[in-house]
Amino acid sequence: MAKHDAGVRYGTHRVIEPKGALPQAALVIDNSLPIHPTEMLVDVQMLNVDAASFTQMKKAAGNDPDGVAALILKTVAERGKQHNPVTGSGGMLTGVVRAVGPDYDGPVDARPGDRIATLVSLSLTPLKIDAIRKVYMDRDQVAIEGYAILFSSGIGVKLPDDFSRDAALAALDVAGAPAQAYRLVKPGMDVGIIGTGKSGLLCAIATRRVLGTTGRIFGVARRQESLDHIGSFGCLDVPILADATDPVAVLEAVHRATDGRMLDVVLNTTNTPGTEMSTVMACREGGVAYYFNMATSFTAAALGAEGIGRDVTLLIGNGYVPDHARITLDLVRSDARLRAYFEDKYGKA
Ligand code: NAP
């Protein structure tokens, strides 16, 4: 017989409300110490807040870092985790392992003193914040003092020595996206990337690796500067300046650029709501729409696709793809410019 209840691996012993929920779906979880024997305790240094959540909080706080800090403190005090009540999304964190429970049998091969990044969402990770040291408004990161608890089912990695902590954290936050692009894209395809931020850039470079000189990459951004930036990495064939919340504008632009053939795969890496239908409408009949964007309404995507009679495979962006951390860090390592971009933008700490 198992030494602990089966649910303990998944953190069910910490769910306060509602009873029977898993920690991600729970409204409130217990973030208190001591840790359970199956858990790992981490002294947290930096939160990498999910871009959809950070964008929502920035807007709600009128772009004031103190306002964002107050929202985070409120959420964590009320819920025991950084689970944005509006977007439902979280993020991930880095820190130093303080203790490993005697019955911890999870995938993170780390000991006290090791620096790790969690690869499970903050929306399910017990978190206690003692102080917020700094909110980095331009990179979705928040330096804090506090601790987090990792269940035995929670994935994470030791931080690599050849990256700055914050650059590794930023890349690992979106590790599922380029790893998924490698799986979805096949040579010769026409691929759309809607939203050309951090995960969009990684997806575009991964897509270029698969396509080589075949197929084409269509980038959709609402600012010319974003198109120029992604284009400078050599991974953009057709720039499209359009707002992804305007599906007809995106449809018309892609229709023109493909002579009506439309796209085989469209990866949505924006961070805002209302972009579901531009993704569906950019796809050809039988194409694949992949929603990495956590501000996606899956009702809007499914009913919207049905509403226009478009047979498109709708994929929810599961942040986990086997080996995604290594795949993504290797992608960044393999391109000196990309690596420099991550270290410049996300910090050398
Ligand atoms: P990011 O760096 O902030 O990039 C988002 C991009 O979307 C920006 O370039 C932004 O353009 C663009 N964008 C926003 N609204 C747009 C619009 N209406 N039209 C065209 N472009 C628009 O974000 P990220 O870190 O790559 O994250 C992207 C998404 O992935 C987020 O929604 C995040 O929640 C999600 N995510 C998912 C998982 C998962 O497990 N599935 C994990 C991590 C993150 P501007 O520069 O013009 O604002």
Side-chain angles (χ1 to χ4, degrees):
M1 203 158 92
K3 197 167 168 189
H4 304 288
D5 291 343
V8 162
R9 287 190 62 68
Y10 306 102
T12 49
H13 55 295
R14 284 195 176 267
V15 172
I16 295 175
E17 189 195 337
K19 289 284 173 224
L22 286 167
Q24 204 284 332
L27 288 175
V28 185
I29 61 174
D30 173 12
N31 61 359
S32 66
L33 293 179
I35 57 168
H36 186 273
T38 57
E39 296 172 339
M40 181 181 281
L41 177 62
V42 181
D43 285 319
V44 181
Q45 296 173 330
M46 188 74 86
L47 304 178
N48 194 105
V49 178
D50 159 86
S53 169
F54 201 80
T55 303
Q56 182 278 324
M57 288 192 289
K58 266 204 303 202
K59 208 168 162 192
N63 227 22
D64 171 18
D66 291 340
V68 172
L71 284 172
I72 290 174
L73 287 172
K74 181 171 186 291
T75 298
V76 175
E78 286 175 359
R79 313 192 80 172
K81 53 180 180 168
Q82 176 44 39
H83 185 187
N84 183 317
V86 180
T87 63
S89 55
M92 30 86 78
L93 61 87
T94 55
V96 177
V97 175
R98 194 199 304 175
V100 182
D103 298 334
Y104 172 82
D105 64 353
V108 186
D109 180 19
R111 297 179 185 177
D114 286 341
R115 289 193 322 162
I116 66 160
T118 60
L119 295 171
V120 279
S121 176
L122 288 177
S123 65
L124 62 86
T125 304
L127 175 69
K128 175 86 180 7
I129 299 182
D130 296 321
I132 291 192
R133 292 160 59 89
K134 181 163 183 174
V135 178
Y136 294 88
M137 295 297 274
D138 55 343
R139 57 185 229 221
D140 307 356
Q141 293 183 339
V142 183
I144 70 155
E145 285 169 24
Y147 65 80
I149 294 163
L150 205 55
F151 307 128
S152 280
S153 58
I155 49 176
V157 282
K158 262 197 266 192
L159 280 180
D161 294 330
D162 61 334
F163 270 92
S164 78
R165 179 196 66 195
D166 297 345
L169 180 63
L172 289 170
D173 171 45
V174 293
Q180 191 63 258
Y182 275 123
R183 298 209 297 199
L184 292 174
V185 174
K186 307 283 176 243
M189 282 182 164
D190 278 349
V191 179
I193 316 262
I194 302 189
T196 56
K198 183 173 58 161
S199 56
L201 176 61
L202 290 169
C203 284
I205 294 177
T207 297
R208 174 59 76 216
R209 294 278 161 87
V210 177
L211 294 180
T213 54
T214 72
R216 286 180 299 173
I217 302 176
F218 298 68
V220 178
R222 59 184 169 182
R223 291 183 299 121
Q224 184 60 43
E225 189 193 339
S226 307
L227 291 172
D228 295 343
H229 179 251
I230 194 168
S232 71
F233 287 86
C235 53
L236 186 59
D237 299 298
V238 183
I240 293 177
L241 189 61
D243 189 320
T245 60
D246 184 343
V248 174
V250 173
L251 165 76
E252 285 175 354
V254 174
H255 194 275
R256 264 195 308 278
T258 58
D259 288 330
R261 234 184 54 82
M262 310 309 285
L263 305 174
D264 299 296
V265 171
V266 180
L267 311 171
N268 182 328
T269 62
T270 62
N271 56 15
T272 40
T275 62
E276 296 82 4
M277 286 311 288
S278 55
T279 310
V280 168
M281 290 180 111
C283 277
R284 68 168 167 78
E285 194 70 11
V288 173
Y290 172 69
Y291 292 98
F292 193 65
N293 176 11
M294 286 294 106
T296 301
S297 154
F298 295 97
T299 318
L303 297 182
E306 180 196 90
I308 60 164
R310 184 71 54 89
D311 174 23
V312 166
T313 301
L314 304 174
L315 297 181
I316 298 175
N318 180 351
Y320 174 68
V321 174
D323 218 14
H324 59 335
R326 185 196 57 75
I327 291 169
T328 299
L329 291 178
D330 280 354
L331 183 68
V332 180
R333 281 185 185 105
S334 71
D335 184 323
R337 253 205 86 202
L338 181 62
R339 189 189 177 111
Y341 168 72
F342 265 84
E343 302 228 316
D344 288 347
K345 170 145 191 187
Y346 295 98
K348 296 197 161 62

